[in-house]
Amino acid sequence: MENPAQQGIDGPTVGLCGPTVGLYDPAFEHDACGVGFVAHIKNQKSHAIVEQGLQILKNLEHRGATGYDPLLGDGAGILIQIPDGFFRAELAPRGIDLPPPGAYGVGMMFLPPNDASRRACEAAIERTIRYEGLKLIGWRDVPRDNSGLAAMAREREPVIRQVFIGWEANDAANDRAALERKLFIVRKASGHAIQALKLPDVKMFYVPSLSTRTIIYKGMLLANQVGEYFLDLQDERVDSALALVHQRFSTNTFPTWDLAHPFRMIAHNGEINTLRGNVNWIRAREHNISSPLFGEDLEKIWPLIYDGQSDSASFDNALELLVMGGYSLPHAMMMLIPEAWAGNPLMDEDRRAFYEYHMALMEPWDGPAAVAFTDGRQIGATLDRNGLRPARYLVTDDDLVVLASETGVLPIAEERIVKKWRLQPGKMLLIDLEEGRIISDEEVKHTLAQAKPYRRWIEQTRHYVDAMPEVVSAEKLGAPLLDLQQAFGYTQEDLKFVLEPMAVNG
């Protein structure tokens, strides 16, 4: 049976979070997913981390949901670092020699099952790769076992392939950040080109990840199906120093393969209540945004957020743009999910100035949210200012950090635990794998608040009404004030309870 929200007499109406039919609007829906990660502080890669990530996922299964078929999951997935040795061994028999780590990117691609549509999508991707001055290294079919999936999940199952991309010229091979930005452009530009083809099954095209650092295995799966469906994850050669996992409870949008988490940089539990305003502001600012790092490539990104994306997907798009544009990962997260700073008398003035300055650049993405984030080099999590979503973490004596929506997601002996705590409202946990240490919330925010003279910038641009020159109006009222107020619908309640308190209290 078709999903009733996909139908209608005149076809579906697409709202911010998906199709709307009759009185149903998915923009009013909410969710409560399971999110977690495990990471080795010293960046030591192993297959054990991948296995532990999958174990966390299985232990969060109760936070997801199933459909009418108990095998039909709302979506689950895992994000890991690129297993370089595994891919080299897999591609070598085909005569493909990968560049050094960091000089190539791997894209996980969801493609339409229809051969003609799939070839059209692949051709558009390859054209974009060449146009952007990059080189197509090769394609790889992702081995899968769909025997355990529900019938509905198999009906909507995409073809899943991996694409390998490197620099066309070797002299640019060392600029990893530039390649990461180029891959971002390739993904956005090829996506726009494929949308323009208007293929009948274009909605089955999606790029879960395209990066030099991370790769994502996800789908419309149950938590325990992820490791069984993707055979790569069972291979001992697939190693990583981090594993970010998510079990979805899809009430914000309907379950689909592409809306499973993790997204490219985040996994999210909660909802963004200010989503419509956030998306509208980004769209309003698209033509005023500039970047010396992107240059003319920036125009290829728009629209940044498509209609029909979930709140988490939209948030991920905004975070990705900020990070690709030069902001550090914690800096971008502080912009998007700020602390409660305006009325906090205990907050350091430099940090308050940081938030006040960035308030003019980016509206907060507010809502009860716990967000885990990573770029493959750093991994962390933050809570919104109200702290209504749970996130608990522990650190072991052998340099593991485990964070999840609840405790007990991994069987770790109590004597191995050196610290156990919870994320607090507005606070951030950050692990820098390249530096090999946990960076405290205080250190992260103090460093960023001191990086620029935000207090001086605010003072230079702040103007008070009392300091403005008085202007005597030459206009005369054409009728008594009371008559004008009545004509325009003002009431005593408006004056007493709205206007007067605003004037008196500012």
Side-chain angles (χ1 to χ4, degrees):
M1 177 180 176
E2 288 188 4
N3 190 332
Q6 307 287 345
Q7 309 175 69
I9 297 174
D10 301 314
T13 306
V14 178
L16 183 64
C17 295
T20 60
V21 175
L23 296 177
Y24 175 76
D25 187 342
F28 296 121
E29 296 285 6
H30 308 285
D31 63 359
C33 312
V35 62
F37 69 72
V38 57
H40 195 286
I41 299 173
K42 305 301 182 185
N43 204 22
Q44 292 181 13
K45 293 186 176 184
S46 68
H47 185 65
I49 292 287
V50 179
E51 292 180 326
Q52 287 173 316
L54 293 173
Q55 185 62 48
I56 292 173
L57 190 54
K58 292 176 183 178
N59 289 335
L60 291 173
E61 185 172 14
H62 60 280
R63 284 187 167 268
T66 58
Y68 58 89
D69 185 334
L71 293 177
L72 182 61
D74 274 6
I78 183 171
L79 179 155
I80 59 174
Q81 293 171 324
I82 288 177
D84 178 70
F86 169 74
F87 286 134
R88 287 184 188 280
E90 285 289 302
L91 297 176
R94 295 168 48 190
I96 297 176
D97 185 21
L98 288 174
Y104 71 93
V106 185
M108 185 73 90
M109 301 281 171
F110 288 177
L111 301 165
N114 177 276
D115 284 343
S117 297
R118 178 179 56 78
R119 286 195 296 269
C121 290
E122 291 174 354
I125 293 166
E126 292 176 8
R127 282 195 302 271
T128 307
I129 291 170
R130 290 192 300 270
Y131 183 79
E132 295 301 330
L134 301 178
K135 177 175 65 176
L136 173 67
I137 298 173
W139 289 88
R140 174 179 180 261
D141 293 316
V142 178
R144 294 165 288 149
D145 178 6
N146 66 2
S147 60
L149 301 191
M152 185 178 180
R154 285 199 301 271
E155 288 171 7
R156 301 184 178 190
E157 181 184 12
V159 171
I160 304 180
R161 304 191 75 197
Q162 290 163 342
V163 62
F164 296 80
I165 305 169
W167 286 112
E168 183 64 50
N170 291 329
D171 56 353
N174 292 326
D175 195 342
R176 185 168 181 165
L179 179 57
E180 194 76 15
R181 284 192 299 274
K182 267 298 180 184
L183 294 176
F184 176 59
I185 296 297
V186 166
R187 196 190 82 228
K188 297 296 290 185
S190 62
H192 298 333
I194 289 169
Q195 291 287 334
L197 294 176
K198 299 189 182 300
L199 301 171
D201 45 3
V202 69
K203 288 187 177 181
M204 299 194 76
F205 169 78
Y206 180 73
V207 184
S209 62
L210 179 55
S211 171
T212 63
R213 303 186 184 104
T214 58
I215 188 166
I216 296 170
Y217 291 84
K218 71 175 186 177
M220 200 162 76
L221 307 166
L222 294 171
N224 67 308
Q225 292 174 340
V226 176
E228 299 169 357
Y229 177 77
F230 291 108
L231 301 183
D232 285 355
L233 298 175
Q234 301 173 20
D235 196 303
E236 292 286 337
R237 298 169 298 175
V238 174
D239 56 1
S240 176
L242 62 86
L244 173 61
V245 299
H246 187 275
Q247 165 65 64
R248 189 166 186 244
F249 192 105
S250 62
T251 51
N252 196 281
T253 51
F254 288 99
T256 61
W257 280 80
D258 58 302
L259 290 182
H261 297 220
F263 289 102
R264 289 132 195 156
M265 301 193 85
I266 67 138
H268 169 224
N269 170 29
E271 65 260 7
I272 305 296
N273 293 334
T274 58
L275 179 63
R276 187 173 298 277
N278 296 133
V279 173
N280 287 343
W281 272 114
I282 283 185
R283 287 179 176 166
R285 288 176 172 145
E286 283 180 358
H287 298 292
N288 293 326
I289 295 175
S290 62
S291 168
L293 293 176
F294 281 118
E296 295 181 358
D297 280 350
L298 192 64
E299 293 303 315
K300 303 170 186 175
I301 294 172
W302 316 125
L304 182 70
I305 299 170
Y306 287 112
D307 282 334
Q309 287 187 319
S310 65
D311 55 351
S312 305
S314 303
F315 180 91
D316 181 73
N317 289 151
L319 175 64
E320 188 179 31
L321 176 64
L322 292 175
V323 172
M324 294 294 176
Y327 289 96
S328 69
L329 185 57
H331 190 155
M333 287 300 302
M334 287 174 66
M335 290 174 64
L336 293 169
I337 305 181
E339 293 178 86
W341 58 271
N344 185 352
L346 303 178
M347 181 173 286
D348 172 74
E349 289 302 319
D350 288 328
R351 193 189 300 186
R352 190 195 313 278
F354 173 93
Y355 286 120
E356 186 174 353
Y357 174 83
H358 287 92
M359 181 180 65
L361 305 180
M362 175 67 67
E363 293 72 28
W365 292 61
D366 264 337
V371 182
F373 54 86
T374 185
D375 61 359
R377 299 173 300 180
Q378 295 179 320
I379 188 168
T382 190
L383 283 193
D384 71 286
R385 63 185 84 183
N386 295 308
L388 297 178
R389 291 288 186 236
R392 296 183 175 273
Y393 67 92
L394 60 84
V395 184
T396 70
D397 57 7
D398 55 351
D399 294 320
L400 283 187
V401 178
V402 181
L403 177 139
S405 302
E406 57 203 62
T407 58
V409 290
L410 282 181
I412 296 176
E414 194 69 27
E415 59 268 19
R416 286 180 53 203
I417 298 173
V418 297
K419 182 177 182 181
K420 185 189 296 183
W421 192 227
R422 62 180 175 85
L423 272 184
Q424 296 171 291
K427 302 301 182 184
M428 182 184 297
L429 171 69
L430 182 68
I431 302 102
D432 192 310
L433 302 181
E434 293 187 343
E435 292 187 14
R437 68 188 185 100
I438 298 174
I439 305 176
S440 69
D441 176 83
E442 183 65 31
E443 181 183 348
V444 171
K445 294 174 179 177
H446 177 76
T447 301
L448 289 171
Q450 294 283 338
K452 303 288 183 182
Y454 294 114
R455 291 173 69 179
R456 177 162 58 83
W457 288 349
I458 289 173
E459 291 301 324
Q460 289 174 345
T461 56
R462 181 187 286 148
H463 301 280
Y464 294 94
V465 174
D466 292 343
M468 298 289 180
E470 290 192 18
V471 177
V472 179
S473 174
E475 298 292 332
K476 300 294 183 183
L477 293 179
L481 177 61
L482 180 60
D483 292 347
L484 290 173
Q485 289 172 333
Q486 291 174 335
F488 284 94
Y490 282 88
T491 65
Q492 293 292 336
E493 286 77 10
D494 292 328
L495 298 177
K496 183 175 181 180
F497 297 112
V498 180
L499 295 179
E500 182 179 343
M502 289 173 65
V504 171
N505 300 319

